[in-house]
């Protein structure tokens, strides 16, 4: 049985896409399957951050992963790591199950998100998990605690990334640092935490996953960062922003489905070769109406042969 596009959209909007898929209902592709997008990026390198569909994965891993692959997504970066049990898991899905889903639905897992302590205390388990799913990148994020010396924190973090990066490199894996907004704050000497990480990590061992939303909202200039640090940004989090009026009537910036906000992706994507981009991961921290819908709409925008807007 094959659903019409309207019927399938209705199922997604009602949160029932996974149910439909579990019943064997086919879903149409929401974007082209191969080639070059209107933004000049290779479609096969576009992926999804699993965090976008975290709620749905928690309820129905199989249905959720099938839903996002049915709309064309071929690469998924999993996060939400748990190395405490006998079998590591990401977003509640055990690593062997991720491997099985990847084989069943035909997606790749180029990157895994882990925590900093996993690189210092459980590096062997991280390597094993990455190799099991075929990931060639692992990424972390971080930030100093309140009251902590931020300069010392980022200096120590850079040293840790160099050490972990050396161990991962021997296994054919690259470590990447994922930013939020705080890394771009001036530490009082005209230098930011991000400056420290860039300058004190070995480019041969440590790369960066540039989150475009947080870089821009965090008062950074993504274009300047890339031009000043060529080849250091193999991973991008493609996350959009929009201006909204909050409950108190004040204007604020929040997340948006990719392609529906104001971030100028084209100026960043034009520097893909300079940046050394391998993957473009769609992300939305607060997807509306749900993660699958936002992910598939973002993918349709990025992969369209002509600008849908």
């Amino acid at each position: 049985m094959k659903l019409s596009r309207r019927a399938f959209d209705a199922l997604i909007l009602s949160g029932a896409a996974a149910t439909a898929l579990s019943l064997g209902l086919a879903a149409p592709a929401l974007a082209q399957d191969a080639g070059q997008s209107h933004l000049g990026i290779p479609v096969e390198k576009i992926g999804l951050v699993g965090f976008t569909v975290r709620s749905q994965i928690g309820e129905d891993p199989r249905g959720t992963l099938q839903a996002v692959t049915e709309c064309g997504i071929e690469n998924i970066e999993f996060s939400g790591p748990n190395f405490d049990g006998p079998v590591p898991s990401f977003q509640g899905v055990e690593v062997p199950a991720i491997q099985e889903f990847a084989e069943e639905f035909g997606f790749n897992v180029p990157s895994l998100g882990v925590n900093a302590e996993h690189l210092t205390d459980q590096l062997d388990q991280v390597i094993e998990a990455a190799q099991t799913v075929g990931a060639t990148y692992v990424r972390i994020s971080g930030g100093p605690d309140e009251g902590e010396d931020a300069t010392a924190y980022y200096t120590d973090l850079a040293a840790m990334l160099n050490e972990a990066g050396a161990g991962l490199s021997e296994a054919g894996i690259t470590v990447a640092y994922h930013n939020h907004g705080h890394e771009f704050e001036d530490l009082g000497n005209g230098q930011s935490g991000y400056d420290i990480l860039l300058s004190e990590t070995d480019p041969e061992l440590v790369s960066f996953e540039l989150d475009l939303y947080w870089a821009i909202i965090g008062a950074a200039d993504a274009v300047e960062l890339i031009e000043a640090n060529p080849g250091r940004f193999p991973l991008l989090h493609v996350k959009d922003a929009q201006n909204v009026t909050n409950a108190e009537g004040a204007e604020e910036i929040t997340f948006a489905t990719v392609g529906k906000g104001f971030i100028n992706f084209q100026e960043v994507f034009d520097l893909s070769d300079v940046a050394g981009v391998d993957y473009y991961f769609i992300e939305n921290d607060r997807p509306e109406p749900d993660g699958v819908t936002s992910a598939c709409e973002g993918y349709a925008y990025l992969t369209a042969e002509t600008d849908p807007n």
Side-chain angles (χ1 to χ4, degrees), residues 31-110:
Q32 61 173 333
D33 294 326
Q36 201 87 352
S37 87
H38 69 283
L39 293 162
I41 59 177
V43 170
E44 70 272 12
K45 293 298 185 178
I46 298 171
L48 173 68
V49 183
F51 184 69
T52 302
V53 293
R54 60 195 179 279
S55 297
Q56 289 158 295
I57 283 183
E59 296 174 358
D60 182 4
R62 174 182 293 278
T64 301
L65 293 172
Q66 186 172 359
V68 297
T69 53
E70 286 284 355
C71 75
I73 293 168
E74 300 178 10
N75 304 289
I76 302 177
E77 179 187 67
F78 286 83
S79 55
N82 186 339
F83 284 87
D84 293 337
V87 180
S89 65
F90 291 81
Q91 297 176 245
V93 185
E94 293 184 344
V95 166
I98 292 175
Q99 179 189 24
E100 291 173 5
F101 286 138
E103 293 174 353
E104 180 179 358
F105 300 129
F107 64 84
N108 304 310
V109 184

Side-chain angles (χ1 to χ4, degrees), residues 81-166:
N82 186 339
F83 284 87
D84 293 337
V87 180
S89 65
F90 291 81
Q91 297 176 245
V93 185
E94 293 184 344
V95 166
I98 292 175
Q99 179 189 24
E100 291 173 5
F101 286 138
E103 293 174 353
E104 180 179 358
F105 300 129
F107 64 84
N108 304 310
V109 184
S111 177
L112 291 174
V114 302
N115 298 334
E117 60 265 27
H118 297 143
L119 297 185
T120 56
D121 302 337
Q122 296 170 289
L123 187 62
D124 289 344
Q125 291 95 317
V126 170
I127 291 172
E128 183 179 359
Q131 291 179 333
T132 298
V133 299
T136 53
Y137 292 95
V138 297
R139 52 94 166 167
I140 68 164
S141 57
D145 294 329
E146 186 174 355
E148 184 177 4
D149 185 319
T151 298
Y153 169 84
Y154 287 111
T155 300
D156 291 343
L157 178 58
M160 185 277 285
L161 286 168
N162 284 330
E163 182 176 354

Side-chain angles (χ1 to χ4, degrees), residues 94-298:
E94 293 184 344
V95 166
I98 292 175
Q99 179 189 24
E100 291 173 5
F101 286 138
E103 293 174 353
E104 180 179 358
F105 300 129
F107 64 84
N108 304 310
V109 184
S111 177
L112 291 174
V114 302
N115 298 334
E117 60 265 27
H118 297 143
L119 297 185
T120 56
D121 302 337
Q122 296 170 289
L123 187 62
D124 289 344
Q125 291 95 317
V126 170
I127 291 172
E128 183 179 359
Q131 291 179 333
T132 298
V133 299
T136 53
Y137 292 95
V138 297
R139 52 94 166 167
I140 68 164
S141 57
D145 294 329
E146 186 174 355
E148 184 177 4
D149 185 319
T151 298
Y153 169 84
Y154 287 111
T155 300
D156 291 343
L157 178 58
M160 185 277 285
L161 286 168
N162 284 330
E163 182 176 354
L168 288 165
S169 179
E170 292 178 0
I173 302 166
T174 301
V175 67
Y177 183 80
H178 173 86
N179 65 280
H180 292 92
H182 55 79
E183 291 91 345
F184 303 108
E185 296 172 1
D186 189 336
L187 300 182
N189 54 3
Q191 186 180 48
S192 69
Y194 209 71
D195 292 332
I196 294 173
L197 294 176
L198 282 166
S199 64
E200 298 193 15
T201 53
D202 184 342
E204 297 296 320
L205 300 175
V206 181
S207 294
F208 290 80
E209 181 176 68
L210 188 62
D211 186 306
L212 300 180
Y213 175 96
W214 288 116
I216 292 168
I217 303 308
D221 187 315
V223 170
E224 288 185 4
L225 278 174
I226 292 169
E227 291 178 337
N229 302 277
R232 302 211 68 183
F233 303 97
L235 308 178
L236 298 181
H237 271 199
V238 183
K239 188 187 301 183
D240 217 337
Q242 62 181 324
N243 293 299
V244 299
T245 302
N246 63 25
E248 288 72 38
E251 293 294 316
E252 64 180 19
I253 297 173
T254 190
F255 308 99
T257 289
V258 170
K260 296 187 176 182
F262 62 73
I263 288 182
N264 182 357
F265 296 116
Q266 187 67 75
E267 66 177 2
V268 175
F269 295 166
D270 284 346
L271 294 173
S272 290
D273 289 343
V274 177
V277 179
D278 281 340
Y279 293 97
Y280 308 77
F281 293 116
I282 297 164
E283 187 176 27
N284 190 341
D285 290 19
R286 299 174 190 166
E288 294 292 342
D290 60 74
V292 170
T293 303
S294 181
C296 288
E297 289 179 350

